[in-house]
Amino acid sequence: MKVLVIGGAGYIGSHVVKEMMKAGHKVTVFDNLSSGLRCNLFPQNEFIYGNILIPADLDAAFSQGFDAFVHLAAFKAAGESMFLPEKYSVNNITGTLNIMNAAVKYNCKKMIFSSSAAVFGAPEYLPIDEDHPKNPENYYGFTKLEIERFMAWYDKLKGLRFAALRYFNAAGYDPDGEIRGLEQNPANLLPRVMEVAAGMKPGMKVFGTDYDTRDGTCIRDYVHVTDLARAHVMALDYITKNDKSLALNLGTENGTTVKEIIDAARKITGKEIPSEDVERRPGDPACLYATSKLAKDLLGWEPKYSDVETLVKTTWEVYK
């Protein structure tokens, strides 16, 4: 299939592009390089420099005739979204509607969407499944949930089949070492740990050590980015074969604590990685992890690279 990957020069996008190519798809990348990197582009792919906020750019891309598209072009800093909701409204919501309108105009009716665990908010039970109540606690999560609702309507009214893939914490790097562009302004734990290990930052903070967990620090569900990328390919296969949409959680079903990540990084890098224990951050739940039973049942997806050692090793290979 001819697949347009919007945001394909970014951290997750570049891994999705690689897995799509491995599956035999012909991939074109559309990106404005605001956070994506030219070094993440593969020479065998066509690259379109364009902006999702400019409908003419999307028209020019979709008019080339694609069978499917992947949308990974949202802003994703949950904290920032609470201070700059207008930025997230324009890019995430208006930008996505521009994409969907161009897609249906040019009869590209298969959409893989990078959604988020942020659609759920604080967990009412664990592990989180697809039926868990959706009460986002930040504006970023709200934008993702609204997009899922828009897609459901476009499915009903325009025949746009979609897969909404709700990630938990994307981490790690390409195990083959081909993708080496550092994520820009990372907000997640593992890149911050690596910045300290690599001497880019003097130290780091651990927010809360008195949670009701096995070592007092927060538990999160870290999924290797290559595992997430594989799920995009499998989801495209599913909606193509079954002609129906789906929404899935992608987690490991095993949470890892902040301390376990830092300890593994110290062991693997051989670096001290100074850390300071500080107060909890408001709104941080003690535990967040998902069941991926539905993804396994429908797609046959299981994480292959999401053990702590592989997550840390593949990230250190890039940062060191």
Side-chain angles (χ1 to χ4, degrees):
M1 275 193 274
K2 282 184 69 181
V3 181
L4 182 67
V5 180
I6 300 168
Y11 166 57
I12 297 174
S14 54
H15 289 83
V16 169
V17 167
K18 179 172 177 175
E19 292 301 311
M20 287 285 178
M21 288 194 298
K22 274 170 71 176
H25 298 301
K26 188 176 188 307
V27 180
T28 297
V29 172
F30 180 102
D31 205 300
N32 69 354
L33 301 177
S34 60
S35 59
L37 300 167
R38 284 192 182 274
C39 66
N40 281 341
L41 297 169
F42 292 88
Q44 59 268 52
N45 298 137
E46 187 183 339
F47 171 61
I48 299 171
Y49 179 83
N51 191 322
I52 63 172
L53 299 181
I54 301 174
D57 286 1
L58 290 164
D59 276 353
F62 277 103
S63 66
Q64 295 182 23
F66 291 96
D67 303 302
F69 67 99
V70 184
H71 174 21
L72 299 127
F75 292 144
K76 63 184 179 66
E80 181 189 57
S81 74
M82 299 298 277
F83 299 101
L84 295 171
E86 59 277 32
K87 175 181 175 180
Y88 283 70
S89 297
V90 172
N91 186 78
N92 292 12
I93 293 178
T94 307
T96 300
L97 290 172
N98 288 344
I99 292 168
M100 290 163 62
N101 289 339
V104 297
K105 179 177 176 182
Y106 291 98
N107 204 36
C108 181
K109 299 286 187 75
K110 298 181 187 75
M111 173 178 184
I112 311 296
F113 175 59
S114 155
S115 192
S116 170
V119 300
F120 296 112
E124 293 184 14
Y125 57 83
L126 291 166
I128 294 172
D129 59 20
E130 286 77 7
D131 295 325
H132 187 285
K134 294 162 191 69
N135 297 303
E137 294 202 321
N138 53 63
Y139 193 73
Y140 159 71
F142 168 79
T143 66
K144 292 285 190 174
L145 185 57
E146 287 304 291
I147 291 164
E148 288 194 14
R149 290 177 173 147
F150 287 130
M151 289 191 301
W153 275 105
Y154 272 58
D155 177 307
K156 193 184 294 186
L157 303 176
K158 292 288 186 178
L160 178 69
R161 302 292 179 252
F162 68 87
L165 303 179
R166 300 176 186 135
Y167 315 160
F168 281 64
N169 292 272
Y173 269 83
D174 175 22
D176 300 330
E178 283 188 278
I179 299 167
R180 306 189 68 83
L182 291 181
E183 193 177 359
Q184 304 298 291
N185 305 312
N188 293 346
L189 174 65
L190 191 50
R192 288 185 164 180
V193 172
M194 290 298 150
E195 286 178 341
V196 179
M200 297 158 72
K201 299 271 173 73
M204 60 173 296
K205 292 183 167 75
V206 175
F207 295 97
T209 55
D210 58 349
Y211 287 97
D212 184 17
T213 60
R214 51 186 173 265
D215 61 21
T217 61
C218 284
I219 291 176
R220 293 293 181 268
D221 206 344
Y222 299 96
V223 188
H224 196 286
V225 65
T226 297
D227 287 329
L228 293 176
R230 287 171 47 243
H232 288 70
V233 178
M234 292 172 163
L236 178 56
D237 288 346
Y238 178 90
I239 62 173
T240 301
K241 284 175 188 157
N242 296 282
D243 191 33
K244 67 188 216 184
S245 300
L246 78 166
L248 293 174
N249 296 354
L250 298 175
T252 63
E253 307 192 352
N254 296 303
T256 306
T257 71
V258 171
K259 189 174 184 303
E260 285 164 355
I261 291 276
I262 297 170
D263 287 346
R266 286 174 176 147
K267 182 179 168 190
I268 287 164
T269 65
K271 305 292 184 183
E272 188 182 336
I273 310 181
S275 67
E276 179 192 358
D277 296 342
V278 296
E279 292 293 307
R280 296 181 182 192
R281 283 184 300 200
D284 264 357
C287 299
L288 266 182
Y289 53 94
T291 172
S292 293
K293 184 180 183 306
L294 194 60
K296 184 178 180 181
D297 291 348
L298 295 183
L299 307 184
W301 180 83
E302 286 185 283
K304 283 185 184 175
Y305 303 102
S306 295
D307 58 284
V308 175
E309 186 172 330
T310 304
L311 290 169
V312 174
K313 266 188 178 166
T314 56
T315 310
W316 180 234
E317 281 300 316
V318 176
Y319 272 87
K320 75 181 184 185

